[in-house]
Amino acid sequence: APPARPRPAGQRPAGALRQLAADLPDVAEREELLAAARMERARVEQLRAVLDQTSTFMAAAQDRVHRDIAPRLQASLLRWLPVVTRGRYVDATVDPRSLTVRVRARGGTWREAELLSFGTAEQVYLLLRLALVEHLTAGHDTCPLLLDDVTVHADRQRTQAILELLLAVSQERQVVLFTQEDQVAQWARDALADAPGSVVELDPVLSA
């Protein structure tokens, strides 16, 4: 038998035509989706512009704060750094752009604080915290300092220097120092015998 010839499009069965119509996309629905997508894109682009502008403002504000605070931090470091390091480091600088701290011995090379020994770096950052407290509370009510084992990585001489520094600071603001070191506790008992302040011994916590 000869092969069947395809029917012209106009002669297709009604069921096939209905299936073809059902498969066609809804033009109105697609236009609504396109409009919604364009609106969402416009919203995201507007948000990006706002965030970019905000980032610019914040960077400029940060630069102003850094330029204002860097000299104050540096002045405080120059005052106390030779004391707490027992003269090992006598000079300090604070980068006004990043607040990176560098120190050096007399006639030595500059070294970044974060690359120093762990104990020395902790002493430098303790001085920075003190300087920040002084700066942020200048002209306002003083706030107490709560410190936890800030001498644990210092040798005996530097420990005493740090404690003497904190005693001097306590003349201007309350200093609460938590410690587990016998040397610190004994120093406090002796130093505070004839000075304002007290030593409070907490009961040990026994593990179950």
Side-chain angles (χ1 to χ4, degrees):
R5 291 180 297 176
R7 296 180 182 180
Q11 298 179 8
R12 290 179 183 175
L17 292 176
R18 285 194 298 270
Q19 183 63 42
L20 180 61
D23 293 339
L24 291 175
D26 187 321
V27 175
E29 180 181 354
R30 293 301 188 270
E31 288 181 345
E32 290 180 1
L33 291 175
L34 178 60
R38 286 174 174 169
M39 291 179 61
E40 180 64 15
R41 177 181 176 180
R43 187 189 70 81
V44 171
E45 289 180 344
Q46 182 180 15
L47 177 60
R48 182 180 64 181
V50 171
L51 292 176
D52 289 343
Q53 191 67 30
T54 302
S55 178
T56 300
F57 289 153
M58 292 182 66
Q62 176 179 280
D63 289 342
R64 289 194 299 271
V65 171
H66 283 189
R67 287 195 302 269
D68 177 59
I69 200 173
R72 301 171 187 266
L73 297 180
Q74 183 170 316
S76 182
L77 283 174
L78 291 173
R79 178 185 178 188
W80 296 111
L81 184 64
V83 176
V84 299
T85 63
R86 289 299 188 184
R88 181 174 182 181
Y89 295 103
V90 298
D91 204 359
T93 182
V94 179
D95 188 336
R97 293 171 299 178
S98 62
L99 296 186
T100 299
V101 178
R102 296 191 302 163
V103 300
R104 68 176 177 181
R106 193 178 306 278
T109 58
W110 289 104
R111 301 179 61 187
E112 291 191 13
E114 63 182 14
L115 300 180
L116 301 174
S117 68
F118 190 77
T120 303
E122 278 208 335
Q123 293 157 21
V124 171
Y125 291 125
L126 171 62
L127 296 180
L128 285 177
R129 291 198 294 273
L130 296 177
L132 281 172
V133 169
E134 291 178 358
H135 173 70
L136 295 176
T137 61
H140 305 283
D141 294 336
T142 59
C143 68
L145 285 174
L146 303 179
L147 304 172
D148 184 19
D149 268 337
V150 294
T151 61
V152 68
H153 296 289
D155 58 30
R156 189 175 187 84
Q157 290 184 333
R158 290 191 182 183
T159 292
Q160 183 170 342
I162 292 173
L163 294 173
E164 291 172 354
L165 165 64
L166 296 179
L167 182 59
V169 171
S170 71
Q171 305 304 311
E172 301 176 358
R173 67 185 70 250
Q174 184 182 25
V175 177
V176 179
L177 173 61
F178 296 92
T179 184
Q180 302 181 55
E181 297 183 85
D182 293 336
Q183 177 193 349
V184 175
Q186 186 57 53
W187 180 93
R189 294 188 192 98
D190 296 338
L192 299 179
D194 300 318
S198 61
V199 178
V200 178
E201 296 190 20
L202 304 177
D203 295 331
V205 177
L206 301 178
S207 58

PDB file of all heavy atoms in Angstrom, residues 27-57:
ATOM      1  N   VAL A  27       0.152  34.885  26.881  1.00  0.00           N
ATOM      2  CA  VAL A  27       0.894  36.106  26.580  1.00  0.00           C
ATOM      3  C   VAL A  27       0.708  37.143  27.694  1.00  0.00           C
ATOM      4  O   VAL A  27       1.664  37.780  28.150  1.00  0.00           O
ATOM      5  CB  VAL A  27       0.449  36.685  25.229  1.00  0.00           C
ATOM      6  CG1 VAL A  27       1.151  38.023  24.979  1.00  0.00           C
ATOM      7  CG2 VAL A  27       0.761  35.701  24.106  1.00  0.00           C
ATOM      8  N   ALA A  28      -0.493  37.331  28.171  1.00  0.00           N
ATOM      9  CA  ALA A  28      -0.747  38.326  29.218  1.00  0.00           C
ATOM     10  C   ALA A  28       0.016  37.979  30.500  1.00  0.00           C
ATOM     11  O   ALA A  28       0.606  38.852  31.160  1.00  0.00           O
ATOM     12  CB  ALA A  28      -2.245  38.411  29.493  1.00  0.00           C
ATOM     13  N   GLU A  29       0.019  36.670  30.835  1.00  0.00           N
ATOM     14  CA  GLU A  29       0.731  36.258  32.049  1.00  0.00           C
ATOM     15  C   GLU A  29       2.232  36.501  31.903  1.00  0.00           C
ATOM     16  O   GLU A  29       2.890  36.966  32.837  1.00  0.00           O
ATOM     17  CB  GLU A  29       0.459  34.781  32.317  1.00  0.00           C
ATOM     18  CG  GLU A  29       1.164  34.254  33.557  1.00  0.00           C
ATOM     19  CD  GLU A  29       0.893  32.774  33.775  1.00  0.00           C
ATOM     20  OE1 GLU A  29       0.070  32.193  33.031  1.00  0.00           O
ATOM     21  OE2 GLU A  29       1.515  32.196  34.685  1.00  0.00           O
ATOM     22  N   ARG A  30       2.764  36.192  30.718  1.00  0.00           N
ATOM     23  CA  ARG A  30       4.190  36.400  30.481  1.00  0.00           C
ATOM     24  C   ARG A  30       4.549  37.881  30.541  1.00  0.00           C
ATOM     25  O   ARG A  30       5.603  38.268  31.041  1.00  0.00           O
ATOM     26  CB  ARG A  30       4.599  35.815  29.121  1.00  0.00           C
ATOM     27  CG  ARG A  30       4.515  34.298  29.035  1.00  0.00           C
ATOM     28  CD  ARG A  30       5.417  33.636  30.078  1.00  0.00           C
ATOM     29  NE  ARG A  30       5.502  32.203  29.901  1.00  0.00           N
ATOM     30  CZ  ARG A  30       4.675  31.337  30.479  1.00  0.00           C
ATOM     31  NH1 ARG A  30       3.682  31.793  31.240  1.00  0.00           N
ATOM     32  NH2 ARG A  30       4.814  30.051  30.272  1.00  0.00           N
ATOM     33  N   GLU A  31       3.682  38.732  30.050  1.00  0.00           N
ATOM     34  CA  GLU A  31       3.943  40.171  30.107  1.00  0.00           C
ATOM     35  C   GLU A  31       3.944  40.672  31.550  1.00  0.00           C
ATOM     36  O   GLU A  31       4.747  41.527  31.926  1.00  0.00           O
ATOM     37  CB  GLU A  31       2.891  40.920  29.279  1.00  0.00           C
ATOM     38  CG  GLU A  31       3.074  40.738  27.781  1.00  0.00           C
ATOM     39  CD  GLU A  31       2.032  41.499  26.981  1.00  0.00           C
ATOM     40  OE1 GLU A  31       1.015  41.912  27.599  1.00  0.00           O
ATOM     41  OE2 GLU A  31       2.222  41.683  25.764  1.00  0.00           O
ATOM     42  N   GLU A  32       3.054  40.123  32.375  1.00  0.00           N
ATOM     43  CA  GLU A  32       3.032  40.505  33.789  1.00  0.00           C
ATOM     44  C   GLU A  32       4.331  40.066  34.483  1.00  0.00           C
ATOM     45  O   GLU A  32       4.908  40.808  35.293  1.00  0.00           O
ATOM     46  CB  GLU A  32       1.823  39.880  34.483  1.00  0.00           C
ATOM     47  CG  GLU A  32       0.492  40.485  34.056  1.00  0.00           C
ATOM     48  CD  GLU A  32      -0.676  39.824  34.771  1.00  0.00           C
ATOM     49  OE1 GLU A  32      -0.419  38.912  35.596  1.00  0.00           O
ATOM     50  OE2 GLU A  32      -1.831  40.213  34.510  1.00  0.00           O
ATOM     51  N   LEU A  33       4.781  38.852  34.182  1.00  0.00           N
ATOM     52  CA  LEU A  33       6.022  38.366  34.781  1.00  0.00           C
ATOM     53  C   LEU A  33       7.216  39.218  34.347  1.00  0.00           C
ATOM     54  O   LEU A  33       8.106  39.512  35.138  1.00  0.00           O
ATOM     55  CB  LEU A  33       6.245  36.900  34.398  1.00  0.00           C
ATOM     56  CG  LEU A  33       5.282  35.882  35.000  1.00  0.00           C
ATOM     57  CD1 LEU A  33       5.546  34.495  34.437  1.00  0.00           C
ATOM     58  CD2 LEU A  33       5.402  35.873  36.527  1.00  0.00           C
ATOM     59  N   LEU A  34       7.242  39.615  33.088  1.00  0.00           N
ATOM     60  CA  LEU A  34       8.320  40.459  32.583  1.00  0.00           C
ATOM     61  C   LEU A  34       8.326  41.813  33.269  1.00  0.00           C
ATOM     62  O   LEU A  34       9.380  42.331  33.667  1.00  0.00           O
ATOM     63  CB  LEU A  34       8.173  40.626  31.070  1.00  0.00           C
ATOM     64  CG  LEU A  34       9.212  41.536  30.382  1.00  0.00           C
ATOM     65  CD1 LEU A  34      10.616  40.990  30.605  1.00  0.00           C
ATOM     66  CD2 LEU A  34       8.901  41.671  28.889  1.00  0.00           C
ATOM     67  N   ALA A  35       7.138  42.393  33.447  1.00  0.00           N
ATOM     68  CA  ALA A  35       7.046  43.690  34.114  1.00  0.00           C
ATOM     69  C   ALA A  35       7.505  43.592  35.563  1.00  0.00           C
ATOM     70  O   ALA A  35       8.226  44.463  36.071  1.00  0.00           O
ATOM     71  CB  ALA A  35       5.604  44.205  34.038  1.00  0.00           C
ATOM     72  N   ALA A  36       7.125  42.499  36.235  1.00  0.00           N
ATOM     73  CA  ALA A  36       7.544  42.306  37.627  1.00  0.00           C
ATOM     74  C   ALA A  36       9.059  42.143  37.717  1.00  0.00           C
ATOM     75  O   ALA A  36       9.702  42.670  38.632  1.00  0.00           O
ATOM     76  CB  ALA A  36       6.831  41.097  38.213  1.00  0.00           C
ATOM     77  N   ALA A  37       9.627  41.399  36.758  1.00  0.00           N
ATOM     78  CA  ALA A  37      11.082  41.198  36.760  1.00  0.00           C
ATOM     79  C   ALA A  37      11.817  42.511  36.536  1.00  0.00           C
ATOM     80  O   ALA A  37      12.853  42.775  37.161  1.00  0.00           O
ATOM     81  CB  ALA A  37      11.459  40.182  35.679  1.00  0.00           C
ATOM     82  N   ARG A  38      11.279  43.350  35.648  1.00  0.00           N
ATOM     83  CA  ARG A  38      11.910  44.655  35.403  1.00  0.00           C
ATOM     84  C   ARG A  38      11.835  45.544  36.647  1.00  0.00           C
ATOM     85  O   ARG A  38      12.786  46.253  36.973  1.00  0.00           O
ATOM     86  CB  ARG A  38      11.236  45.330  34.211  1.00  0.00           C
ATOM     87  CG  ARG A  38      11.626  44.698  32.861  1.00  0.00           C
ATOM     88  CD  ARG A  38      10.828  45.295  31.728  1.00  0.00           C
ATOM     89  NE  ARG A  38      11.304  44.788  30.439  1.00  0.00           N
ATOM     90  CZ  ARG A  38      10.665  44.974  29.278  1.00  0.00           C
ATOM     91  NH1 ARG A  38       9.525  45.678  29.258  1.00  0.00           N
ATOM     92  NH2 ARG A  38      11.165  44.487  28.165  1.00  0.00           N
ATOM     93  N   MET A  39      10.694  45.501  37.343  1.00  0.00           N
ATOM     94  CA  MET A  39      10.567  46.287  38.564  1.00  0.00           C
ATOM     95  C   MET A  39      11.545  45.807  39.632  1.00  0.00           C
ATOM     96  O   MET A  39      12.174  46.604  40.339  1.00  0.00           O
ATOM     97  CB  MET A  39       9.121  46.213  39.086  1.00  0.00           C
ATOM     98  CG  MET A  39       8.098  46.924  38.214  1.00  0.00           C
ATOM     99  SD  MET A  39       6.406  46.772  38.884  1.00  0.00           S
ATOM    100  CE  MET A  39       6.615  47.580  40.471  1.00  0.00           C
ATOM    101  N   GLU A  40      11.704  44.480  39.759  1.00  0.00           N
ATOM    102  CA  GLU A  40      12.633  43.943  40.746  1.00  0.00           C
ATOM    103  C   GLU A  40      14.072  44.316  40.402  1.00  0.00           C
ATOM    104  O   GLU A  40      14.857  44.649  41.280  1.00  0.00           O
ATOM    105  CB  GLU A  40      12.487  42.415  40.811  1.00  0.00           C
ATOM    106  CG  GLU A  40      13.403  41.730  41.797  1.00  0.00           C
ATOM    107  CD  GLU A  40      13.143  42.125  43.239  1.00  0.00           C
ATOM    108  OE1 GLU A  40      12.069  42.721  43.516  1.00  0.00           O
ATOM    109  OE2 GLU A  40      14.000  41.838  44.102  1.00  0.00           O
ATOM    110  N   ARG A  41      14.398  44.288  39.119  1.00  0.00           N
ATOM    111  CA  ARG A  41      15.743  44.692  38.701  1.00  0.00           C
ATOM    112  C   ARG A  41      15.994  46.159  39.034  1.00  0.00           C
ATOM    113  O   ARG A  41      17.065  46.519  39.532  1.00  0.00           O
ATOM    114  CB  ARG A  41      15.910  44.454  37.208  1.00  0.00           C
ATOM    115  CG  ARG A  41      17.262  44.922  36.674  1.00  0.00           C
ATOM    116  CD  ARG A  41      17.383  44.691  35.193  1.00  0.00           C
ATOM    117  NE  ARG A  41      18.638  45.227  34.688  1.00  0.00           N
ATOM    118  CZ  ARG A  41      19.014  45.167  33.403  1.00  0.00           C
ATOM    119  NH1 ARG A  41      18.223  44.592  32.511  1.00  0.00           N
ATOM    120  NH2 ARG A  41      20.162  45.685  33.027  1.00  0.00           N
ATOM    121  N   ALA A  42      15.003  47.004  38.783  1.00  0.00           N
ATOM    122  CA  ALA A  42      15.157  48.423  39.093  1.00  0.00           C
ATOM    123  C   ALA A  42      15.335  48.632  40.594  1.00  0.00           C
ATOM    124  O   ALA A  42      16.141  49.460  41.036  1.00  0.00           O
ATOM    125  CB  ALA A  42      13.941  49.203  38.588  1.00  0.00           C
ATOM    126  N   ARG A  43      14.585  47.847  41.406  1.00  0.00           N
ATOM    127  CA  ARG A  43      14.716  47.965  42.863  1.00  0.00           C
ATOM    128  C   ARG A  43      16.107  47.556  43.321  1.00  0.00           C
ATOM    129  O   ARG A  43      16.718  48.227  44.161  1.00  0.00           O
ATOM    130  CB  ARG A  43      13.663  47.087  43.547  1.00  0.00           C
ATOM    131  CG  ARG A  43      13.596  47.258  45.057  1.00  0.00           C
ATOM    132  CD  ARG A  43      12.711  46.207  45.677  1.00  0.00           C
ATOM    133  NE  ARG A  43      13.317  44.896  45.599  1.00  0.00           N
ATOM    134  CZ  ARG A  43      14.251  44.461  46.469  1.00  0.00           C
ATOM    135  NH1 ARG A  43      14.659  45.245  47.458  1.00  0.00           N
ATOM    136  NH2 ARG A  43      14.760  43.252  46.343  1.00  0.00           N
ATOM    137  N   VAL A  44      16.628  46.464  42.779  1.00  0.00           N
ATOM    138  CA  VAL A  44      17.959  45.990  43.162  1.00  0.00           C
ATOM    139  C   VAL A  44      19.034  46.992  42.744  1.00  0.00           C
ATOM    140  O   VAL A  44      19.974  47.263  43.498  1.00  0.00           O
ATOM    141  CB  VAL A  44      18.220  44.603  42.544  1.00  0.00           C
ATOM    142  CG1 VAL A  44      19.676  44.188  42.755  1.00  0.00           C
ATOM    143  CG2 VAL A  44      17.293  43.561  43.143  1.00  0.00           C
ATOM    144  N   GLU A  45      18.899  47.553  41.551  1.00  0.00           N
ATOM    145  CA  GLU A  45      19.878  48.545  41.091  1.00  0.00           C
ATOM    146  C   GLU A  45      19.836  49.795  41.959  1.00  0.00           C
ATOM    147  O   GLU A  45      20.881  50.383  42.253  1.00  0.00           O
ATOM    148  CB  GLU A  45      19.609  48.893  39.628  1.00  0.00           C
ATOM    149  CG  GLU A  45      19.954  47.757  38.664  1.00  0.00           C
ATOM    150  CD  GLU A  45      19.675  48.121  37.224  1.00  0.00           C
ATOM    151  OE1 GLU A  45      18.950  49.118  36.996  1.00  0.00           O
ATOM    152  OE2 GLU A  45      20.180  47.410  36.323  1.00  0.00           O
ATOM    153  N   GLN A  46      18.638  50.201  42.382  1.00  0.00           N
ATOM    154  CA  GLN A  46      18.528  51.361  43.271  1.00  0.00           C
ATOM    155  C   GLN A  46      19.159  51.056  44.629  1.00  0.00           C
ATOM    156  O   GLN A  46      19.868  51.889  45.204  1.00  0.00           O
ATOM    157  CB  GLN A  46      17.068  51.750  43.442  1.00  0.00           C
ATOM    158  CG  GLN A  46      16.880  52.996  44.317  1.00  0.00           C
ATOM    159  CD  GLN A  46      15.409  53.359  44.476  1.00  0.00           C
ATOM    160  OE1 GLN A  46      14.532  52.557  44.183  1.00  0.00           O
ATOM    161  NE2 GLN A  46      15.146  54.560  44.949  1.00  0.00           N
ATOM    162  N   LEU A  47      18.918  49.835  45.124  1.00  0.00           N
ATOM    163  CA  LEU A  47      19.513  49.430  46.397  1.00  0.00           C
ATOM    164  C   LEU A  47      21.038  49.406  46.297  1.00  0.00           C
ATOM    165  O   LEU A  47      21.732  49.840  47.226  1.00  0.00           O
ATOM    166  CB  LEU A  47      18.981  48.052  46.801  1.00  0.00           C
ATOM    167  CG  LEU A  47      19.563  47.455  48.090  1.00  0.00           C
ATOM    168  CD1 LEU A  47      19.264  48.359  49.280  1.00  0.00           C
ATOM    169  CD2 LEU A  47      18.993  46.048  48.321  1.00  0.00           C
ATOM    170  N   ARG A  48      21.551  48.921  45.176  1.00  0.00           N
ATOM    171  CA  ARG A  48      23.003  48.907  44.990  1.00  0.00           C
ATOM    172  C   ARG A  48      23.568  50.323  45.009  1.00  0.00           C
ATOM    173  O   ARG A  48      24.617  50.578  45.629  1.00  0.00           O
ATOM    174  CB  ARG A  48      23.365  48.220  43.678  1.00  0.00           C
ATOM    175  CG  ARG A  48      24.872  48.127  43.437  1.00  0.00           C
ATOM    176  CD  ARG A  48      25.186  47.445  42.130  1.00  0.00           C
ATOM    177  NE  ARG A  48      24.697  48.221  40.996  1.00  0.00           N
ATOM    178  CZ  ARG A  48      24.823  47.846  39.735  1.00  0.00           C
ATOM    179  NH1 ARG A  48      25.408  46.683  39.438  1.00  0.00           N
ATOM    180  NH2 ARG A  48      24.360  48.598  38.756  1.00  0.00           N
ATOM    181  N   ALA A  49      22.880  51.245  44.382  1.00  0.00           N
ATOM    182  CA  ALA A  49      23.351  52.636  44.373  1.00  0.00           C
ATOM    183  C   ALA A  49      23.348  53.222  45.778  1.00  0.00           C
ATOM    184  O   ALA A  49      24.282  53.928  46.181  1.00  0.00           O
ATOM    185  CB  ALA A  49      22.465  53.478  43.442  1.00  0.00           C
ATOM    186  N   VAL A  50      22.303  52.899  46.557  1.00  0.00           N
ATOM    187  CA  VAL A  50      22.235  53.390  47.942  1.00  0.00           C
ATOM    188  C   VAL A  50      23.373  52.802  48.772  1.00  0.00           C
ATOM    189  O   VAL A  50      24.040  53.507  49.551  1.00  0.00           O
ATOM    190  CB  VAL A  50      20.873  53.042  48.563  1.00  0.00           C
ATOM    191  CG1 VAL A  50      20.875  53.353  50.064  1.00  0.00           C
ATOM    192  CG2 VAL A  50      19.762  53.815  47.878  1.00  0.00           C
ATOM    193  N   LEU A  51      23.611  51.504  48.618  1.00  0.00           N
ATOM    194  CA  LEU A  51      24.686  50.849  49.372  1.00  0.00           C
ATOM    195  C   LEU A  51      26.052  51.397  48.977  1.00  0.00           C
ATOM    196  O   LEU A  51      26.923  51.590  49.839  1.00  0.00           O
ATOM    197  CB  LEU A  51      24.630  49.338  49.160  1.00  0.00           C
ATOM    198  CG  LEU A  51      23.414  48.620  49.761  1.00  0.00           C
ATOM    199  CD1 LEU A  51      23.443  47.145  49.394  1.00  0.00           C
ATOM    200  CD2 LEU A  51      23.385  48.790  51.272  1.00  0.00           C
ATOM    201  N   ASP A  52      26.252  51.638  47.691  1.00  0.00           N
ATOM    202  CA  ASP A  52      27.532  52.211  47.244  1.00  0.00           C
ATOM    203  C   ASP A  52      27.747  53.590  47.860  1.00  0.00           C
ATOM    204  O   ASP A  52      28.847  53.914  48.314  1.00  0.00           O
ATOM    205  CB  ASP A  52      27.563  52.305  45.717  1.00  0.00           C
ATOM    206  CG  ASP A  52      27.689  50.942  45.047  1.00  0.00           C
ATOM    207  OD1 ASP A  52      28.063  49.979  45.748  1.00  0.00           O
ATOM    208  OD2 ASP A  52      27.423  50.851  43.834  1.00  0.00           O
ATOM    209  N   GLN A  53      26.692  54.401  47.872  1.00  0.00           N
ATOM    210  CA  GLN A  53      26.796  55.742  48.439  1.00  0.00           C
ATOM    211  C   GLN A  53      27.038  55.673  49.946  1.00  0.00           C
ATOM    212  O   GLN A  53      27.856  56.419  50.501  1.00  0.00           O
ATOM    213  CB  GLN A  53      25.525  56.531  48.155  1.00  0.00           C
ATOM    214  CG  GLN A  53      25.619  58.010  48.477  1.00  0.00           C
ATOM    215  CD  GLN A  53      26.592  58.739  47.564  1.00  0.00           C
ATOM    216  OE1 GLN A  53      26.792  58.362  46.426  1.00  0.00           O
ATOM    217  NE2 GLN A  53      27.212  59.791  48.066  1.00  0.00           N
ATOM    218  N   THR A  54      26.326  54.743  50.616  1.00  0.00           N
ATOM    219  CA  THR A  54      26.513  54.566  52.057  1.00  0.00           C
ATOM    220  C   THR A  54      27.934  54.135  52.373  1.00  0.00           C
ATOM    221  O   THR A  54      28.552  54.620  53.324  1.00  0.00           O
ATOM    222  CB  THR A  54      25.517  53.529  52.596  1.00  0.00           C
ATOM    223  OG1 THR A  54      24.179  53.946  52.306  1.00  0.00           O
ATOM    224  CG2 THR A  54      25.680  53.344  54.093  1.00  0.00           C
ATOM    225  N   SER A  55      28.457  53.212  51.579  1.00  0.00           N
ATOM    226  CA  SER A  55      29.831  52.753  51.775  1.00  0.00           C
ATOM    227  C   SER A  55      30.826  53.898  51.629  1.00  0.00           C
ATOM    228  O   SER A  55      31.790  54.009  52.397  1.00  0.00           O
ATOM    229  CB  SER A  55      30.152  51.637  50.779  1.00  0.00           C
ATOM    230  OG  SER A  55      31.482  51.199  50.920  1.00  0.00           O
ATOM    231  N   THR A  56      30.573  54.777  50.660  1.00  0.00           N
ATOM    232  CA  THR A  56      31.447  55.936  50.467  1.00  0.00           C
ATOM    233  C   THR A  56      31.397  56.861  51.678  1.00  0.00           C
ATOM    234  O   THR A  56      32.437  57.322  52.173  1.00  0.00           O
ATOM    235  CB  THR A  56      31.023  56.705  49.206  1.00  0.00           C
ATOM    236  OG1 THR A  56      31.131  55.842  48.059  1.00  0.00           O
ATOM    237  CG2 THR A  56      31.920  57.917  48.988  1.00  0.00           C
ATOM    238  N   PHE A  57      30.181  57.125  52.168  1.00  0.00           N
ATOM    239  CA  PHE A  57      30.032  57.992  53.353  1.00  0.00           C
ATOM    240  C   PHE A  57      30.722  57.380  54.571  1.00  0.00           C
ATOM    241  O   PHE A  57      31.401  58.073  55.340  1.00  0.00           O
ATOM    242  CB  PHE A  57      28.557  58.229  53.655  1.00  0.00           C
ATOM    243  CG  PHE A  57      27.867  59.119  52.660  1.00  0.00           C
ATOM    244  CD1 PHE A  57      26.502  59.010  52.428  1.00  0.00           C
ATOM    245  CD2 PHE A  57      28.579  60.078  51.949  1.00  0.00           C
ATOM    246  CE1 PHE A  57      25.864  59.827  51.511  1.00  0.00           C
ATOM    247  CE2 PHE A  57      27.951  60.906  51.034  1.00  0.00           C
ATOM    248  CZ  PHE A  57      26.592  60.783  50.811  1.00  0.00           C
TER     249      PHE A  57
END
